[in-house]
Amino acid sequence: MNLLLSDDYLLQDYPENITNTIRSGHTTCLRFNRKGDYLASGRVDGTVVVWDLDTMGVARKLRGHRAAITSLSWSRCGRYLLSACQGWRAVLWDLQDGTRYREVRFRAPIYTADLNPWDHNKFVASIFDEAPSLVDMTSPSDIKHTLPSAPKRTNTDVDAATKEKQAKDDAKQMTTATVWTATGDHILAGTNKGRFNIIDANTHEIIWSEKICSSVVTTLRLTGSGRVLLVNSQDRIIRTFHLPNLSAENLDPDTIQMPLEHKFQDVVNRLSWNHVTFSATGEYVAASTYNNHELYIWERNHGSLVRMLEGPKEEQGVIEWHPHRAMLAACGLETGRIYIWSVTTPQRWSALAPDFVEVEENVEYIEQEDEFDIHPQEEINKRRLDREDEDIDVLTLDPSKGYNDEADGEGFRMPVLFNLGESDSEEEFVAVSTGTVRRRSLGEGQEGEAPEEDKGVAGKKTAAAKGTKGRKK
């Protein structure tokens, strides 16, 4: 029944207006899980909030960072969530009980951290002014493998001056974005000089390198199939590339080709793009704009702009597209709110009753012969008892639309959180008295407050100070 009521396959494939606005602190990044029933958001104060999209309420809060969250990544099963922050650490959370499963420390802030799609004990991280790192947490002590950033050189027969110049250029290469391929065998990396590297996850060496843009690569995204790559860079151009099958047995790195599919840009206004994402099917590309409040949506087949979403009058940062529905989530840079765009589904009364028919105008009703016959009370009671004897299945869950549970086994379901203090989301305004509200401050009501004992001591000191002032007067 629920699937029938929410069935929107006859509607358009991209969202059109804001349907929800949620808030918990100041959000800096977002990420949907693979199943699409939870949305993870990272805040400026280091708290990670998991939202239940059915109720639009907070399902869990994870506290362990002390700086702004920069990256989020879900495991394939949905049980583990990796969060990275500017405080030089990455935490892998176990959502079964909300505890820290593993914690890894680095020597610099982290740009991005991405979990292996098939092994939640491995992730790759791009680090500020440091070489990217492949972290293996299978053993009790984590193992870090340093990955190269310098491009692969094919021309070895060059003079000494050229080699010295290439060595200086290679020393300036820093990886700014990393992502796993769909199979988890290779790592795709972008650098601050516009280079794109394909790294073998087993040998930790670059097998192919190419210059794809003229500026810093900021975002790398793959479609669900892993065959199309989306690249955002600071040269104000969004590019899509066709990826070859890197898992082929007879793969020759020297013959790898990655043809350019489309370039998306605003030629008139010359806008820069904060963040980019693919749609659920990979047919559309969405982007948030720098110093602008509009979201752009392009269609990939023809490379044409199909929609400009106008919402709140504030600049949008990270945007994410729902993995199975026409839904976009974006976080505002000024207020930190999470705005959700989706398709407005029209009411379908025929889904409630199979024999209900919607008509455009009045239709003359023809009465059936036995429609208003009076039946004996005994027969009515017998029919009612027969209907009560029918077995109704209230335990089997309807499969989520677009998600294949049989292919991945039994999916993880987050336990119900009974602690209301952990589940309540923070409202923007706090009630002071009847009919009076004030705006909540940034750090109010958070974990960083002083303990009760310290507050008591502080209160006594304040009272003593006030008494001293009174005696002086």
Side-chain angles (χ1 to χ4, degrees), residues 18 34 37 39 49 114 150 167 235 245 297 330 437:
I18 293 180
R34 182 173 176 271
D37 51 354
L39 172 66
V49 182
D114 192 42
D235 61 358
N245 184 13
I297 298 179
V437 295

Side-chain angles (χ1 to χ4, degrees), residues 55 75 113 142 154 161 189 191 227 241 267 287 290 295 337 349 364 373 380 410:
T55 61
S75 65
D142 52 86
T154 56
T191 69
R227 301 304 300 272
F241 297 89
V267 182
Y290 175 71
L295 301 182
R337 292 192 189 95
W349 296 99
E364 184 179 354
D373 291 351
I380 295 176
E410 185 65 24

Side-chain angles (χ1 to χ4, degrees), residues 132-172:
S133 181
L134 172 60
V135 183
D136 188 353
M137 301 178 293
T138 307
S139 57
S141 58
D142 52 86
I143 302 173
K144 297 178 183 177
H145 302 282
T146 302
L147 302 178
S149 296
K152 181 181 179 182
R153 300 293 183 181
T154 56
N155 51 345
T156 57
D157 299 333
V158 293
D159 54 2
T162 306
K163 285 185 178 180
E164 185 179 355
K165 182 180 179 181
Q166 289 180 354
K168 291 182 179 179
D169 293 339
D170 293 348
K172 298 178 182 178

Side-chain angles (χ1 to χ4, degrees), residues 208-464:
W208 187 81
S209 180
E210 184 74 22
K211 188 174 180 64
I212 58 175
C213 59
S214 59
S215 186
V216 181
V217 176
T218 58
T219 311
L220 296 176
R221 281 300 172 89
L222 288 172
T223 56
S225 63
R227 301 304 300 272
V228 183
L229 174 69
L230 180 64
V231 180
N232 181 31
S233 61
Q234 290 186 355
D235 61 358
R236 302 176 181 179
I237 300 176
I238 302 170
R239 298 169 176 86
T240 54
F241 297 89
H242 286 286
L243 273 182
N245 184 13
L246 300 175
S247 300
E249 296 180 358
N250 55 351
L251 177 67
D252 185 3
D254 296 332
T255 62
I256 291 178
Q257 293 183 353
M258 202 173 68
L260 175 66
E261 182 190 48
H262 287 300
K263 288 184 178 180
F264 304 103
Q265 58 183 324
D266 190 332
V267 182
V268 178
N269 300 319
R270 296 289 296 166
L271 295 174
S272 297
W273 314 104
N274 289 335
H275 199 261
V276 294
T277 184
F278 270 124
S279 66
T281 59
E283 297 177 0
Y284 298 93
V285 172
S288 58
T289 53
Y290 175 71
N291 273 343
N292 201 319
H293 63 274
E294 294 175 336
L295 301 182
Y296 283 58
I297 298 179
W298 294 274
E299 193 254 344
R300 259 189 56 221
N301 289 336
H302 302 287
S304 58
L305 180 67
V306 296
R307 185 79 178 185
M308 292 173 61
L309 299 178
E310 296 185 3
K313 301 300 182 183
E314 70 169 318
E315 182 181 350
Q316 303 298 312
V318 175
I319 62 171
E320 290 292 331
W321 201 302
H322 192 277
H324 308 301
R325 292 159 55 188
M327 176 188 291
L328 262 176
C331 56
L333 293 182
E334 297 176 8
T335 62
R337 292 192 189 95
I338 301 174
Y339 301 97
I340 296 179
W341 283 263
S342 62
V343 179
T344 304
T345 307
Q347 295 179 343
R348 297 182 58 208
W349 296 99
S350 57
L352 300 174
D355 56 348
F356 187 86
V357 179
E358 299 180 10
V359 295
E360 298 292 337
E361 56 185 8
N362 292 337
V363 177
E364 184 179 354
Y365 181 72
I366 302 176
E367 177 186 338
Q368 298 181 7
E369 184 177 354
D370 59 345
E371 185 172 358
F372 297 104
D373 291 351
I374 300 176
H375 299 282
Q377 188 65 30
E378 294 80 4
E379 186 177 351
I380 295 176
N381 292 335
K382 184 176 181 301
R383 291 180 181 177
R384 181 175 56 82
L385 293 175
D386 291 341
R387 287 195 299 268
E388 291 179 355
D389 291 338
E390 294 179 2
D391 293 332
I392 301 175
D393 187 7
V394 296
L395 299 177
T396 304
L397 296 172
D398 293 335
S400 295
K401 189 174 164 186
Y403 184 79
N404 188 3
D405 285 324
E406 296 180 359
D408 301 318
E410 185 65 24
F412 168 75
R413 302 190 185 280
M414 192 181 301
V416 177
L417 188 65
F418 293 102
N419 186 353
L420 296 180
E422 290 291 323
S423 62
D424 288 345
S425 59
E426 290 110 8
E427 298 295 335
E428 183 179 4
F429 298 96
V430 182
V432 178
S433 61
T434 305
T436 305
V437 295
R438 63 175 175 83
R439 188 179 295 274
R440 182 186 292 271
S441 60
L442 181 61
E444 183 179 356
Q446 296 176 357
E447 195 181 49
E449 292 182 349
E452 295 295 331
E453 298 177 0
D454 297 342
K455 289 181 180 179
V457 174
K460 292 178 182 178
K461 290 181 179 179
T462 306

Side-chain angles (χ1 to χ4, degrees), residues 74-87:
W74 289 84
S75 65
R76 189 176 187 85
C77 62
R79 175 174 174 175
Y80 300 97
L81 176 64
L82 178 68
S83 60
C85 71
Q86 293 179 355

